[in-house]
């Protein structure tokens, strides 16, 4: 089924940036989930972008109750293309659902409340563990770099697999 729109939920802006980049490439309208609830008819086919927290795609459950989600794009700190099977399992996504992971970014200053507290603890514990690990993979090096120094990894290049799927699906 061809998507009519792109819908997203973003916490610090990186997911929104990916949704807008994909909207520019596809010509599809882009809505936050809250905007979509007001402007987009229920049952429409959408590509859903959500930020990741503890393996869960934030907002997906709500979006899937209102719309026909044709693909899920999870945006987190991990490398683009990694952990898709974990994401599929954690979110109970059907095997037929295209699932993509995109490396977003990290900026402690953009976080608020409980999320800031959680990430402070995660950076201290997981960051220390990664820093002390002798045989880090390139993905682990990239994750450690983000934890320690922050920054954005949002890029059109990271959308390549999503774009390829979209072109084949239409």
């Amino acid at each position: 089924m061809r998507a009519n729109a792109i819908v997203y939920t973003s916490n610090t802006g990186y997911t929104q940036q990916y949704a807008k980049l994909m909207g520019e490439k596809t010509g599809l309208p882009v809505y936050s989930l809250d905007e979509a609830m007001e402007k987009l008819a229920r049952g429409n086919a959408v590509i859903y972008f959500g930020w990741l927290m503890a393996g869960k795609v934030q907002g997906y459950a709500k979006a899937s109750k209102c719309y026909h989600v044709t693909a899920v794009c999870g945006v987190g700190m991990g490398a683009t293309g990694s952990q898709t099977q974990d994401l599929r399992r954690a979110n109970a996504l059907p095997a037929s659902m295209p699932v993509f992971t995109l490396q977003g970014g990290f900026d402690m200053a953009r976080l608020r409340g409980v999320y800031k507290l959680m990430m402070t603890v995660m950076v201290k514990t997981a960051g220390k563990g990664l820093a002390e690990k002798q045989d880090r993979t390139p993905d682990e090096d990239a994750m450690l770099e983000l934890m320690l120094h922050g920054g954005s990894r949002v890029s059109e290049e990271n959308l390549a697999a999503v774009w390829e799927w979209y072109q084949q699906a239409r």
Side-chain angles (χ1 to χ4, degrees):
M1 178 179 271
R2 187 179 164 127
N4 300 11
I6 295 169
V7 175
Y8 71 90
T9 301
S10 187
N11 185 37
T12 57
Y14 302 110
T15 305
Q16 179 185 33
Q17 289 174 17
Y18 273 123
K20 288 184 175 185
L21 274 173
M22 191 66 182
E24 289 169 13
K25 289 181 76 61
T26 63
L28 295 174
V30 178
Y31 303 105
S32 72
L33 183 54
D34 289 341
E35 290 172 328
M37 301 295 285
E38 294 176 12
K39 297 178 181 177
L40 195 60
R42 293 178 76 83
N44 265 289
V46 303
I47 302 169
Y48 185 74
F49 285 73
W51 61 282
L52 299 177
M53 183 175 73
K56 292 286 196 174
V57 180
Q58 300 303 299
Y60 168 73
K62 183 177 180 180
S64 68
K65 288 176 184 169
C66 298
Y67 305 107
H68 174 75
V69 177
T70 61
V72 172
C73 302
V75 179
M77 290 176 60
T80 295
S82 67
Q83 305 167 336
T84 56
Q85 291 308 317
D86 295 336
L87 196 68
R88 186 179 296 285
R89 254 188 317 278
N91 294 276
L93 300 172
S96 60
M97 170 85 64
V99 175
F100 306 93
T101 57
L102 304 165
Q103 189 172 41
F106 182 66
D107 182 349
M108 192 67 80
R110 290 184 179 188
L111 296 172
R112 301 281 179 260
V114 69
Y115 300 122
K116 188 168 194 159
L117 178 62
M118 288 170 49
M119 289 307 292
T120 299
V121 171
M122 198 261 315
V123 167
K124 286 181 182 175
T125 57
K128 182 180 179 190
L130 273 178
E132 292 173 353
K133 188 175 178 185
Q134 296 300 313
D135 56 345
R136 286 191 306 266
T137 66
D139 287 349
E140 290 170 330
D141 283 337
M143 175 76 79
L144 181 59
E145 173 70 19
L146 263 182
M147 283 184 197
L148 296 177
H149 305 292
S152 175
R153 302 296 186 271
V154 175
S155 71
E156 195 171 312
E157 180 181 316
N158 285 343
L159 278 173
V162 185
W163 175 241
E164 184 177 315
W165 163 80
Y166 177 80
Q167 288 182 303
Q168 291 173 359
R170 50 183 185 151

